Amino acid sequence: PSWNGEMVVGPSPVTGDLFIQYKGNNAFFGFRLIDFNGRLLTQGTFTSSYVLDMRPFTPGAYIIQITNSRSREQIQRVIMKL
């Protein structure tokens, strides 16, 4: 998607808070955190930034899916939790 370069997700690996930030203008996003078994662990919405507390989740690999609510375009990032 055209907004992919404006979305920052990190740090990875993460031990505490995962930061999601959109550096563009006028957008609304949904996110989903999914484990590698396909289970939805949490989800939410944000406009410019969101802080996701990763402490409750066990160490391992996770997928964060971010969807632009207007265009329905989606990006995915793999996040490592230590």
Side-chain angles (χ1 to χ4, degrees):
S2 60
W3 51 272
N4 186 24
E6 297 175 328
M7 187 66 66
V8 178
V9 179
S12 184
V14 62
T15 55
D17 290 335
L18 180 70
F19 299 94
I20 306 169
Q21 183 177 19
Y22 177 63
K23 296 184 176 187
N25 296 323
N26 299 327
F28 189 70
F29 297 94
F31 76 88
R32 297 166 27 123
L33 183 69
I34 301 166
D35 69 14
F36 268 77
N37 292 319
R39 289 180 296 179
L40 175 64
L41 302 174
T42 189
Q43 60 186 345
T45 60
F46 68 98
T47 52
S48 60
S49 64
Y50 191 87
V51 178
L52 177 59
D53 183 3
M54 294 292 290
R55 285 179 278 276
F57 305 110
T58 58
Y62 296 88
I63 298 169
I64 186 130
Q65 294 178 337
I66 302 170
T67 304
N68 183 309
S69 296
R70 290 191 184 110
S71 68
R72 307 308 302 164
E73 293 177 309
Q74 185 178 86
I75 61 170
Q76 294 187 25
R77 299 278 197 282
V78 175
I79 303 298
M80 294 301 298
K81 163 72 166 65
L82 298 180

